Amino acid sequence: MTTATRPADAYPGSYGTSEGGAVGRVTLQTIADRVGVSRMTVSNAFSRPDQLSAELRATILQAADELGYVGPDPAARSLARGTTGAVGVLLTESVGSAFQDPIAAAFFGSVAQELAPTGLALALLPSVESPDRIPARDIPMDGALVYSCAGDMAPINWLIKRKLPLVFVDQAPIAGASSVLLDDRVGARAAAQHLLDLGHRRIGILTTANDRSTGIAPDPATAGAGYVSRERVEGWMSALGPAGADVTVVHLPDNTEANAEDGARILLDLDDRPTAVLCFSDLIAWTFERVARAQGVRVPEDVSVVGYDDSPIARRAQPALTTVRQDLEAKGRAAATALTRAIARSRGDASVGEGPDAVWVPTTLVVRDSTGPAPA
């Protein structure tokens, strides 16, 4: 029994239709010879289909499929066209952690849906780097979304150095870059005013500060860390400060259930326990409700609770959460549109107008069962 040897120029992958078979490297010329057309005609079938009749293109593609040819090399095609067909998404944390967050997952789903008709693919850029590979520096892309990252992150600097079209989402943009921002101050202020209107004057706040450990902030007015947290604190305090409310802010290292449990216990164990609590997210508010219930504290009879985002957990909570709604689908569409416009602008397309784009996504207070009048 003889064993077939692989030709030096064999096309990587499958070798014929039977075990041990071998097929030479498939090129455009191989297909051209099979069909009886020129090499350029075969190239047009893949890259300029409008140059061929539908029947001829179908014949060429069928021959290519039979020969195992998948198309021109993507890297070579990108070099020739000056475009990669992909856009990057820089995340503040690991890809896995980001997609466990229902808010981030819903946002990126909307982005992907909006980009689908353009043919652009999403390339996820983890912030973690290695000595040999820096995703923000090395991955080919036509532009990037920077999603809720610290402004001094090294990957952002790589994207800036590459002079890529950028759109900043949920964080302050750099000069010349487009942005899509939630109107957090307005939403937070409406939530705080809602509690004031119910008669609450002793109010707790649970917000994120990823550069600090869990604990009470020394000054409510300067509490929080990170763009979104600071914007929400500013909004809450813009109503609570002038009203003379007694405010206690507890910092949480991250927007997690475990951190929220620790923060909830701090507020619930205070001698002058707040009669209402404003939370950075629905997850934190839901966790606070659960911890309060375990301690025999009733919501909203003893303490009112307000979340943020209007995620599915807000409606499943017991009682259902009063919260600030953000339109994640609208935010995702706006981010995708801003990015495609920024890419077009970088290529000299005057039809998209001068940039950069600055989009503010509105917020809405949704009142449910977790808030009520301040206890007597």
Side-chain angles (χ1 to χ4, degrees), residues 191 194-195 198 200 274-279 281-282 284-290 292-293 297-308 310 313-324 365-375:
H194 170 63
L195 294 179
L198 289 170
H200 295 278
T275 64
V277 178
L278 293 159
C279 300
S281 71
D282 292 334
I284 293 172
W286 171 79
T287 304
F288 182 92
E289 279 191 342
R290 181 170 55 77
R293 187 162 52 246
V297 178
R298 300 169 301 165
V299 177
E301 292 84 357
D302 300 322
V303 59
S304 289
V305 183
V306 182
Y308 211 108
D310 197 22
I313 201 173
R315 292 176 288 279
R316 296 198 305 265
Q318 293 296 325
L321 287 170
T322 293
T323 187
V324 177
L365 178 68
V366 179
V367 178
R368 296 196 180 98
D369 300 329
S370 66
T371 51

Short mmCIF file of all heavy atoms in Angstrom, two decimals, residues 191 194-195 198 200 274-279 281-282 284-290 292-293 297-308 310 313-324 365-375:
data_model
loop_
_atom_site.label_atom_id
_atom_site.label_comp_id
_atom_site.label_asym_id
_atom_site.label_seq_id
_atom_site.Cartn_x
_atom_site.Cartn_y
_atom_site.Cartn_z
N ALA A 191 -34.46 60.98 39.51
CA ALA A 191 -34.62 59.95 40.53
C ALA A 191 -34.53 60.54 41.93
O ALA A 191 -35.34 60.23 42.82
CB ALA A 191 -33.56 58.86 40.35
N HIS A 194 -37.58 62.62 42.74
CA HIS A 194 -38.72 61.74 43.04
C HIS A 194 -38.73 61.37 44.53
O HIS A 194 -39.79 61.41 45.18
CB HIS A 194 -38.62 60.48 42.18
CG HIS A 194 -39.58 59.40 42.55
ND1 HIS A 194 -40.95 59.53 42.46
CD2 HIS A 194 -39.36 58.13 43.03
CE1 HIS A 194 -41.53 58.41 42.85
NE2 HIS A 194 -40.59 57.54 43.21
N LEU A 195 -37.59 61.06 45.09
CA LEU A 195 -37.51 60.72 46.52
C LEU A 195 -37.79 61.94 47.39
O LEU A 195 -38.47 61.84 48.42
CB LEU A 195 -36.14 60.14 46.83
CG LEU A 195 -35.82 58.79 46.18
CD1 LEU A 195 -34.42 58.34 46.57
CD2 LEU A 195 -36.85 57.73 46.58
N LEU A 198 -41.36 62.58 47.72
CA LEU A 198 -42.03 61.62 48.61
C LEU A 198 -41.73 61.90 50.08
O LEU A 198 -42.19 61.17 50.96
CB LEU A 198 -41.59 60.19 48.26
CG LEU A 198 -42.13 59.64 46.94
CD1 LEU A 198 -41.42 58.32 46.59
CD2 LEU A 198 -43.64 59.42 47.00
N HIS A 200 -38.55 62.14 51.51
CA HIS A 200 -37.30 61.58 52.02
C HIS A 200 -36.24 62.67 52.15
O HIS A 200 -36.07 63.49 51.25
CB HIS A 200 -36.80 60.47 51.10
CG HIS A 200 -37.70 59.28 51.04
ND1 HIS A 200 -37.70 58.28 51.98
CD2 HIS A 200 -38.68 58.94 50.14
CE1 HIS A 200 -38.60 57.37 51.66
NE2 HIS A 200 -39.22 57.75 50.55
N PRO A 274 -30.77 55.26 56.27
CA PRO A 274 -31.48 56.06 55.26
C PRO A 274 -32.91 55.56 55.07
O PRO A 274 -33.19 54.35 55.21
CB PRO A 274 -30.66 55.84 53.99
CG PRO A 274 -29.31 55.41 54.46
CD PRO A 274 -29.55 54.64 55.72
N THR A 275 -33.79 56.47 54.74
CA THR A 275 -35.17 56.07 54.43
C THR A 275 -35.32 55.78 52.94
O THR A 275 -36.38 55.31 52.50
CB THR A 275 -36.16 57.17 54.84
OG1 THR A 275 -35.91 58.35 54.06
CG2 THR A 275 -36.03 57.49 56.32
N ALA A 276 -34.28 56.10 52.15
CA ALA A 276 -34.32 55.83 50.71
C ALA A 276 -32.89 55.65 50.21
O ALA A 276 -31.94 56.23 50.78
CB ALA A 276 -35.01 56.96 49.95
N VAL A 277 -32.72 54.84 49.17
CA VAL A 277 -31.40 54.56 48.62
C VAL A 277 -31.43 54.69 47.09
O VAL A 277 -32.32 54.12 46.43
CB VAL A 277 -30.92 53.14 49.00
CG1 VAL A 277 -29.56 52.84 48.37
CG2 VAL A 277 -30.85 52.98 50.51
N LEU A 278 -30.48 55.44 46.56
CA LEU A 278 -30.27 55.58 45.12
C LEU A 278 -29.10 54.68 44.71
O LEU A 278 -28.04 54.73 45.33
CB LEU A 278 -29.95 57.03 44.75
CG LEU A 278 -31.09 58.03 44.96
CD1 LEU A 278 -30.54 59.44 45.08
CD2 LEU A 278 -32.07 57.94 43.78
N CYS A 279 -29.29 53.87 43.68
CA CYS A 279 -28.29 52.88 43.30
C CYS A 279 -27.76 53.12 41.90
O CYS A 279 -28.50 53.54 41.00
CB CYS A 279 -28.87 51.47 43.39
SG CYS A 279 -29.45 51.03 45.04
N SER A 281 -27.01 50.97 39.70
CA SER A 281 -27.57 50.06 38.70
C SER A 281 -28.75 49.30 39.30
O SER A 281 -28.95 49.26 40.52
CB SER A 281 -26.51 49.06 38.22
OG SER A 281 -26.21 48.13 39.25
N ASP A 282 -29.52 48.66 38.43
CA ASP A 282 -30.61 47.81 38.89
C ASP A 282 -30.08 46.59 39.65
O ASP A 282 -30.73 46.12 40.59
CB ASP A 282 -31.44 47.33 37.70
CG ASP A 282 -32.21 48.46 37.04
OD1 ASP A 282 -32.52 49.46 37.72
OD2 ASP A 282 -32.50 48.35 35.83
N ILE A 284 -27.51 46.46 41.61
CA ILE A 284 -27.21 46.89 42.98
C ILE A 284 -28.50 47.12 43.76
O ILE A 284 -28.61 46.73 44.93
CB ILE A 284 -26.34 48.16 42.95
CG1 ILE A 284 -24.95 47.84 42.37
CG2 ILE A 284 -26.21 48.78 44.34
CD1 ILE A 284 -24.08 49.05 42.11
N ALA A 285 -29.50 47.72 43.11
CA ALA A 285 -30.78 47.97 43.78
C ALA A 285 -31.47 46.65 44.14
O ALA A 285 -32.02 46.51 45.24
CB ALA A 285 -31.68 48.82 42.89
N TRP A 286 -31.47 45.70 43.21
CA TRP A 286 -32.07 44.39 43.48
C TRP A 286 -31.37 43.68 44.64
O TRP A 286 -32.02 43.09 45.51
CB TRP A 286 -31.99 43.54 42.21
CG TRP A 286 -32.36 42.11 42.40
CD1 TRP A 286 -33.62 41.59 42.49
CD2 TRP A 286 -31.46 41.01 42.55
NE1 TRP A 286 -33.56 40.22 42.67
CE2 TRP A 286 -32.24 39.84 42.71
CE3 TRP A 286 -30.07 40.90 42.55
CZ2 TRP A 286 -31.67 38.57 42.88
CZ3 TRP A 286 -29.50 39.65 42.71
CH2 TRP A 286 -30.29 38.50 42.88
N THR A 287 -30.05 43.79 44.67
CA THR A 287 -29.29 43.19 45.76
C THR A 287 -29.62 43.87 47.09
O THR A 287 -29.78 43.20 48.12
CB THR A 287 -27.78 43.29 45.49
OG1 THR A 287 -27.49 42.67 44.23
CG2 THR A 287 -26.97 42.61 46.58
N PHE A 288 -29.75 45.19 47.07
CA PHE A 288 -30.11 45.91 48.30
C PHE A 288 -31.46 45.42 48.80
O PHE A 288 -31.63 45.19 50.02
CB PHE A 288 -30.14 47.42 48.06
CG PHE A 288 -30.45 48.21 49.30
CD1 PHE A 288 -29.43 48.67 50.11
CD2 PHE A 288 -31.77 48.47 49.67
CE1 PHE A 288 -29.71 49.38 51.28
CE2 PHE A 288 -32.06 49.18 50.82
CZ PHE A 288 -31.02 49.64 51.63
N GLU A 289 -32.43 45.29 47.91
CA GLU A 289 -33.74 44.79 48.33
C GLU A 289 -33.62 43.42 49.02
O GLU A 289 -34.25 43.18 50.06
CB GLU A 289 -34.65 44.63 47.10
CG GLU A 289 -35.31 45.90 46.63
CD GLU A 289 -36.38 45.62 45.60
OE1 GLU A 289 -36.39 44.51 45.00
OE2 GLU A 289 -37.24 46.49 45.39
N ARG A 290 -32.83 42.55 48.44
CA ARG A 290 -32.68 41.21 48.98
C ARG A 290 -32.03 41.22 50.37
O ARG A 290 -32.49 40.51 51.29
CB ARG A 290 -31.85 40.36 48.01
CG ARG A 290 -31.64 38.92 48.45
CD ARG A 290 -31.02 38.09 47.34
NE ARG A 290 -29.80 38.66 46.83
CZ ARG A 290 -28.61 38.59 47.44
NH1 ARG A 290 -28.52 38.01 48.63
NH2 ARG A 290 -27.53 39.11 46.89
N ALA A 292 -31.97 43.78 52.46
CA ALA A 292 -32.91 44.43 53.38
C ALA A 292 -33.98 43.45 53.84
O ALA A 292 -34.31 43.38 55.04
CB ALA A 292 -33.56 45.63 52.68
N ARG A 293 -34.52 42.68 52.91
CA ARG A 293 -35.56 41.70 53.25
C ARG A 293 -35.04 40.67 54.24
O ARG A 293 -35.74 40.28 55.19
CB ARG A 293 -36.06 41.04 51.97
CG ARG A 293 -37.25 40.13 52.16
CD ARG A 293 -37.97 39.84 50.83
NE ARG A 293 -37.05 39.37 49.81
CZ ARG A 293 -36.75 40.04 48.69
NH1 ARG A 293 -37.30 41.23 48.47
NH2 ARG A 293 -35.93 39.53 47.80
N VAL A 297 -36.13 44.38 56.95
CA VAL A 297 -36.42 45.76 56.55
C VAL A 297 -37.32 45.72 55.31
O VAL A 297 -36.98 45.10 54.30
CB VAL A 297 -35.13 46.53 56.24
CG1 VAL A 297 -35.44 47.95 55.77
CG2 VAL A 297 -34.22 46.55 57.46
N ARG A 298 -38.47 46.39 55.37
CA ARG A 298 -39.45 46.33 54.29
C ARG A 298 -39.20 47.40 53.23
O ARG A 298 -38.81 48.53 53.55
CB ARG A 298 -40.85 46.50 54.86
CG ARG A 298 -41.26 45.43 55.88
CD ARG A 298 -42.56 45.85 56.57
NE ARG A 298 -42.41 47.14 57.26
CZ ARG A 298 -43.41 47.88 57.71
NH1 ARG A 298 -44.66 47.48 57.53
NH2 ARG A 298 -43.17 49.03 58.33
N VAL A 299 -39.40 47.01 51.97
CA VAL A 299 -39.32 47.94 50.84
C VAL A 299 -40.72 47.99 50.21
O VAL A 299 -41.28 46.96 49.84
CB VAL A 299 -38.29 47.44 49.80
CG1 VAL A 299 -38.26 48.36 48.58
CG2 VAL A 299 -36.89 47.32 50.41
N PRO A 300 -41.33 49.18 50.11
CA PRO A 300 -40.79 50.51 50.40
C PRO A 300 -41.23 51.07 51.75
O PRO A 300 -40.95 52.24 52.04
CB PRO A 300 -41.41 51.34 49.28
CG PRO A 300 -42.79 50.76 49.12
CD PRO A 300 -42.61 49.28 49.36
N GLU A 301 -41.92 50.29 52.59
CA GLU A 301 -42.47 50.83 53.82
C GLU A 301 -41.40 51.42 54.74
O GLU A 301 -41.59 52.50 55.33
CB GLU A 301 -43.26 49.76 54.58
CG GLU A 301 -44.53 49.31 53.88
CD GLU A 301 -44.28 48.24 52.83
OE1 GLU A 301 -43.09 47.88 52.60
OE2 GLU A 301 -45.26 47.75 52.23
N ASP A 302 -40.26 50.71 54.85
CA ASP A 302 -39.17 51.18 55.71
C ASP A 302 -38.08 51.92 54.95
O ASP A 302 -37.45 52.84 55.49
CB ASP A 302 -38.54 49.99 56.46
CG ASP A 302 -39.54 49.26 57.33
OD1 ASP A 302 -40.40 49.93 57.94
OD2 ASP A 302 -39.47 48.02 57.39
N VAL A 303 -37.84 51.50 53.71
CA VAL A 303 -36.81 52.14 52.90
C VAL A 303 -37.20 52.04 51.43
O VAL A 303 -37.61 50.96 50.96
CB VAL A 303 -35.41 51.51 53.14
CG1 VAL A 303 -35.41 50.03 52.81
CG2 VAL A 303 -34.33 52.24 52.34
N SER A 304 -37.15 53.14 50.73
CA SER A 304 -37.41 53.15 49.29
C SER A 304 -36.11 52.92 48.53
O SER A 304 -35.03 53.30 48.99
CB SER A 304 -38.01 54.50 48.87
OG SER A 304 -39.34 54.64 49.33
N VAL A 305 -36.23 52.28 47.36
CA VAL A 305 -35.04 51.91 46.58
C VAL A 305 -35.25 52.31 45.12
O VAL A 305 -36.31 52.02 44.53
CB VAL A 305 -34.76 50.40 46.66
CG1 VAL A 305 -33.48 50.04 45.90
CG2 VAL A 305 -34.66 49.95 48.12
N VAL A 306 -34.22 52.94 44.54
CA VAL A 306 -34.26 53.33 43.13
C VAL A 306 -33.04 52.75 42.42
O VAL A 306 -31.91 52.89 42.88
CB VAL A 306 -34.27 54.86 42.96
CG1 VAL A 306 -34.35 55.24 41.48
CG2 VAL A 306 -35.43 55.48 43.74
N GLY A 307 -33.27 52.09 41.29
CA GLY A 307 -32.19 51.54 40.48
C GLY A 307 -31.82 52.47 39.33
O GLY A 307 -32.18 53.65 39.31
N TYR A 308 -31.09 51.90 38.37
CA TYR A 308 -30.72 52.66 37.18
C TYR A 308 -30.53 51.67 36.02
O TYR A 308 -29.93 50.63 36.21
CB TYR A 308 -29.41 53.43 37.42
CG TYR A 308 -29.31 54.73 36.65
CD1 TYR A 308 -29.40 55.95 37.30
CD2 TYR A 308 -29.15 54.73 35.26
CE1 TYR A 308 -29.33 57.15 36.59
CE2 TYR A 308 -29.08 55.92 34.56
CZ TYR A 308 -29.17 57.13 35.23
OH TYR A 308 -29.10 58.32 34.52
N ASP A 310 -33.15 50.30 33.98
CA ASP A 310 -34.37 49.59 33.61
C ASP A 310 -34.05 48.32 32.85
O ASP A 310 -34.58 48.05 31.77
CB ASP A 310 -35.33 50.47 32.80
CG ASP A 310 -36.75 49.89 32.78
OD1 ASP A 310 -37.08 49.10 33.69
OD2 ASP A 310 -37.51 50.21 31.85
N ILE A 313 -34.01 42.83 35.19
CA ILE A 313 -34.04 42.54 36.62
C ILE A 313 -34.91 43.54 37.38
O ILE A 313 -35.47 43.22 38.44
CB ILE A 313 -32.61 42.51 37.20
CG1 ILE A 313 -32.58 41.73 38.51
CG2 ILE A 313 -32.06 43.92 37.41
CD1 ILE A 313 -31.17 41.52 39.05
N ALA A 314 -35.08 44.74 36.84
CA ALA A 314 -35.89 45.77 37.52
C ALA A 314 -37.35 45.33 37.59
O ALA A 314 -38.04 45.60 38.58
CB ALA A 314 -35.77 47.10 36.80
N ARG A 315 -37.82 44.66 36.55
CA ARG A 315 -39.22 44.22 36.53
C ARG A 315 -39.41 42.91 37.31
O ARG A 315 -40.50 42.63 37.79
CB ARG A 315 -39.67 44.07 35.08
CG ARG A 315 -39.77 45.41 34.35
CD ARG A 315 -40.14 45.26 32.90
NE ARG A 315 -39.06 44.71 32.08
CZ ARG A 315 -38.04 45.43 31.62
NH1 ARG A 315 -37.95 46.72 31.91
NH2 ARG A 315 -37.10 44.87 30.86
N ARG A 316 -38.34 42.12 37.41
CA ARG A 316 -38.45 40.85 38.14
C ARG A 316 -38.26 41.02 39.65
O ARG A 316 -38.62 40.13 40.43
CB ARG A 316 -37.41 39.85 37.62
CG ARG A 316 -37.60 39.44 36.18
CD ARG A 316 -36.83 38.16 35.89
NE ARG A 316 -35.42 38.28 36.22
CZ ARG A 316 -34.47 38.61 35.35
NH1 ARG A 316 -34.80 38.88 34.09
NH2 ARG A 316 -33.21 38.68 35.71
N ALA A 317 -37.69 42.14 40.06
CA ALA A 317 -37.42 42.36 41.48
C ALA A 317 -38.72 42.37 42.28
O ALA A 317 -39.80 42.65 41.75
CB ALA A 317 -36.68 43.68 41.67
N GLN A 318 -38.59 42.07 43.57
CA GLN A 318 -39.75 42.07 44.47
C GLN A 318 -39.49 43.01 45.64
O GLN A 318 -38.68 42.70 46.50
CB GLN A 318 -40.01 40.65 44.97
CG GLN A 318 -40.48 39.70 43.89
CD GLN A 318 -41.81 40.09 43.30
OE1 GLN A 318 -42.68 40.61 44.02
NE2 GLN A 318 -41.98 39.87 42.01
N PRO A 319 -40.13 44.17 45.68
CA PRO A 319 -41.06 44.69 44.67
C PRO A 319 -40.33 45.21 43.43
O PRO A 319 -39.13 45.44 43.47
CB PRO A 319 -41.75 45.84 45.41
CG PRO A 319 -40.74 46.30 46.40
CD PRO A 319 -40.02 45.07 46.85
N ALA A 320 -41.08 45.37 42.34
CA ALA A 320 -40.50 45.86 41.08
C ALA A 320 -39.86 47.23 41.31
O ALA A 320 -40.39 48.07 42.05
CB ALA A 320 -41.58 45.95 40.01
N LEU A 321 -38.73 47.44 40.67
CA LEU A 321 -37.90 48.61 40.95
C LEU A 321 -38.36 49.88 40.23
O LEU A 321 -38.58 49.88 39.01
CB LEU A 321 -36.45 48.35 40.55
CG LEU A 321 -35.64 47.40 41.43
CD1 LEU A 321 -34.31 47.08 40.74
CD2 LEU A 321 -35.39 48.03 42.80
N THR A 322 -38.45 50.95 41.00
CA THR A 322 -38.41 52.28 40.40
C THR A 322 -36.99 52.47 39.89
O THR A 322 -36.02 52.16 40.59
CB THR A 322 -38.75 53.35 41.44
OG1 THR A 322 -40.13 53.21 41.82
CG2 THR A 322 -38.53 54.75 40.88
N THR A 323 -36.84 52.97 38.66
CA THR A 323 -35.51 53.04 38.06
C THR A 323 -35.46 54.13 37.00
O THR A 323 -36.48 54.73 36.65
CB THR A 323 -35.14 51.66 37.45
OG1 THR A 323 -33.78 51.66 37.00
CG2 THR A 323 -36.05 51.31 36.28
N VAL A 324 -34.27 54.36 36.48
CA VAL A 324 -34.07 55.31 35.38
C VAL A 324 -33.80 54.51 34.12
O VAL A 324 -32.85 53.72 34.07
CB VAL A 324 -32.90 56.27 35.67
CG1 VAL A 324 -32.67 57.20 34.48
CG2 VAL A 324 -33.17 57.07 36.93
N LEU A 365 -37.41 58.50 33.96
CA LEU A 365 -37.72 57.90 35.26
C LEU A 365 -38.94 57.00 35.12
O LEU A 365 -39.97 57.41 34.58
CB LEU A 365 -37.99 58.99 36.30
CG LEU A 365 -38.38 58.48 37.69
CD1 LEU A 365 -37.19 57.78 38.34
CD2 LEU A 365 -38.86 59.65 38.57
N VAL A 366 -38.79 55.75 35.60
CA VAL A 366 -39.90 54.79 35.58
C VAL A 366 -40.25 54.47 37.03
O VAL A 366 -39.44 53.89 37.76
CB VAL A 366 -39.50 53.50 34.83
CG1 VAL A 366 -40.66 52.51 34.84
CG2 VAL A 366 -39.08 53.80 33.40
N VAL A 367 -41.44 54.86 37.47
CA VAL A 367 -41.85 54.67 38.86
C VAL A 367 -42.61 53.36 38.99
O VAL A 367 -43.61 53.13 38.28
CB VAL A 367 -42.73 55.85 39.33
CG1 VAL A 367 -43.19 55.60 40.77
CG2 VAL A 367 -41.95 57.16 39.23
N ARG A 368 -42.12 52.51 39.90
CA ARG A 368 -42.79 51.23 40.17
C ARG A 368 -43.04 51.13 41.68
O ARG A 368 -43.31 52.13 42.33
CB ARG A 368 -41.96 50.07 39.62
CG ARG A 368 -41.83 50.08 38.09
CD ARG A 368 -41.34 48.73 37.55
NE ARG A 368 -41.21 48.75 36.10
CZ ARG A 368 -40.08 48.94 35.44
NH1 ARG A 368 -38.93 49.11 36.13
NH2 ARG A 368 -40.04 48.95 34.12
N ASP A 369 -42.93 49.92 42.22
CA ASP A 369 -43.40 49.67 43.57
C ASP A 369 -42.34 49.79 44.67
O ASP A 369 -42.66 49.64 45.85
CB ASP A 369 -44.01 48.25 43.66
CG ASP A 369 -45.17 48.07 42.71
OD1 ASP A 369 -45.85 49.08 42.45
OD2 ASP A 369 -45.37 46.94 42.24
N SER A 370 -41.07 50.03 44.30
CA SER A 370 -40.02 50.03 45.31
C SER A 370 -39.84 51.37 46.00
O SER A 370 -38.97 51.52 46.87
CB SER A 370 -38.69 49.60 44.69
OG SER A 370 -38.23 50.56 43.75
N THR A 371 -40.65 52.37 45.63
CA THR A 371 -40.56 53.67 46.29
C THR A 371 -41.92 54.08 46.84
O THR A 371 -42.96 53.77 46.24
CB THR A 371 -40.07 54.76 45.32
OG1 THR A 371 -40.87 54.73 44.11
CG2 THR A 371 -38.62 54.56 44.96
N GLY A 372 -41.88 54.71 48.00
CA GLY A 372 -43.10 55.19 48.64
C GLY A 372 -42.78 56.33 49.57
O GLY A 372 -41.61 56.77 49.69
N PRO A 373 -43.78 56.87 50.26
CA PRO A 373 -43.56 58.00 51.15
C PRO A 373 -42.56 57.66 52.27
O PRO A 373 -42.45 56.51 52.67
CB PRO A 373 -44.96 58.26 51.73
CG PRO A 373 -45.90 57.68 50.74
CD PRO A 373 -45.19 56.48 50.17
N ALA A 374 -41.84 58.69 52.69
CA ALA A 374 -40.90 58.49 53.80
C ALA A 374 -41.64 58.06 55.05
O ALA A 374 -42.75 58.56 55.34
CB ALA A 374 -40.13 59.79 54.07
N PRO A 375 -41.11 57.10 55.80
CA PRO A 375 -41.77 56.65 57.02
C PRO A 375 -41.86 57.78 58.03
O PRO A 375 -40.98 58.64 58.12
CB PRO A 375 -40.90 55.51 57.51
CG PRO A 375 -39.55 55.71 56.87
CD PRO A 375 -39.83 56.37 55.57
#
